[in-house]
Amino acid sequence: MIQDLHAHTYYSFCSQDKPETVIETAIANGIQQLGICDHNYGVGCARIEFCWDKGTRLDADYGKTLIRYYDHMNLLREKYAKKIKILCGIEVCTLKSKDSYALPDSADVSFFDFALLENLDNPMSITNGDLFAYARRLGCPVGVAHTDMFKFIQSLGEDPHRYFRKMAENGIFWEMNVNYDSLHGFHQHDYVTEFFKNKTQQEIVKKSGVRLSVGFDGHIAKEYKAQKVRTACQLIKDMGIPLMFEHR
């Protein structure tokens, strides 16, 4: 399966593309499964009562904006059903500060197809390093986005074999983020490069039973590089590691 479970649309403040543009770009590039997962603060605040220098409060009221977003993605899921499988996700920020972008405590995302969790390894994360408790709070399938999990696990003083097994037992997957666009300064993630060449890491993940995902983390449709996605999916397949939502 050629999947990309990390795509952004105009619901995210840092993207301007219509969802249809993102989907049609994926279809034109042979993507079979596309996960649209806009930032929680972009979806929830609906581009109002928000600015980059102030952020949003942890007690912000998202109202029905999450439902509206999910309903929109469902309509597109049906519209393009014969050409591509669409999943509706949400990228959840966990940074805490006086003014925060984090998902409000009251916001319900349990009905989403999945959530991508970011900032897990940041000292200012409201998760306090507890991936499993926060995943339970979200109530839907959870993936860890653009994070060096081996480095994070080491920082906790945990054994990677045991930690990845626990992730698998809790249905938590790990994203291989293959982004390379101008918004991110054409930066490539070192942890992905390392994983694709490190046989020891690959064996630990494979034996644990944890699933992986591939995401381009695209914010600019015209800069989409599908070959990086296809290559990553093939490498993971060759390792014998299942992709998230594969065969489901």
Side-chain angles (χ1 to χ4, degrees), residues 102-134:
L103 185 73
D105 296 332
S106 61
D108 177 17
V109 298
S110 62
F111 55 93
F112 279 75
D113 294 329
F114 70 98
L116 284 181
L117 185 64
E118 62 176 350
N119 322 116
L120 177 66
D121 55 352
N122 191 301
M124 295 298 290
S125 173
I126 62 175
T127 65
N128 294 314
D130 192 339
L131 167 62
F132 305 104
Y134 199 75

Side-chain angles (χ1 to χ4, degrees), residues 116-221:
L116 284 181
L117 185 64
E118 62 176 350
N119 322 116
L120 177 66
D121 55 352
N122 191 301
M124 295 298 290
S125 173
I126 62 175
T127 65
N128 294 314
D130 192 339
L131 167 62
F132 305 104
Y134 199 75
R136 288 193 294 273
R137 172 262 183 268
L138 296 180
C140 63
V142 170
V144 181
H146 42 70
T147 299
D148 185 337
M149 286 303 296
F150 280 93
K151 184 177 179 180
F152 173 69
I153 293 168
Q154 183 181 41
S155 74
L156 297 176
E158 295 274 2
D159 174 67
H161 297 83
R162 182 165 55 247
Y163 197 94
F164 277 111
R165 280 200 302 272
K166 189 173 181 180
M167 285 178 62
E169 290 166 0
N170 285 271
I172 300 172
F173 60 98
W174 182 27
E175 176 194 75
M176 293 292 110
N177 189 297
V178 295
N179 178 267
Y180 192 76
D181 66 13
S182 60
L183 184 74
H184 298 88
F186 297 106
H187 170 73
Q188 298 187 87
H189 290 282
D190 292 338
Y191 82 89
V192 176
T193 303
E194 176 63 22
F195 181 74
F196 283 153
K197 68 180 182 181
N198 191 315
K199 300 297 184 182
T200 300
Q201 289 189 1
Q202 294 169 20
E203 193 63 19
I204 289 172
V205 168
K206 182 177 180 179
K207 286 184 176 180
S208 73
V210 76
R211 289 178 178 249
L212 300 180
S213 70
V214 175
F216 186 72
D217 196 1
H219 291 71
I220 306 167

Side-chain angles (χ1 to χ4, degrees), residues 6-43:
H6 197 156
H8 293 276
T9 74
Y10 61 37
Y11 279 97
S12 292
F13 287 83
C14 43
S15 179
Q16 298 296 323
D17 293 308
K18 295 178 179 180
E20 290 88 347
T21 301
V22 175
I23 294 170
E24 289 167 10
T25 298
I27 292 171
N29 282 279
I31 304 301
Q32 298 168 307
Q33 185 179 63
L34 181 68
I36 296 178
C37 52
D38 285 295
H39 295 289
N40 65 272
Y41 43 85
V43 175

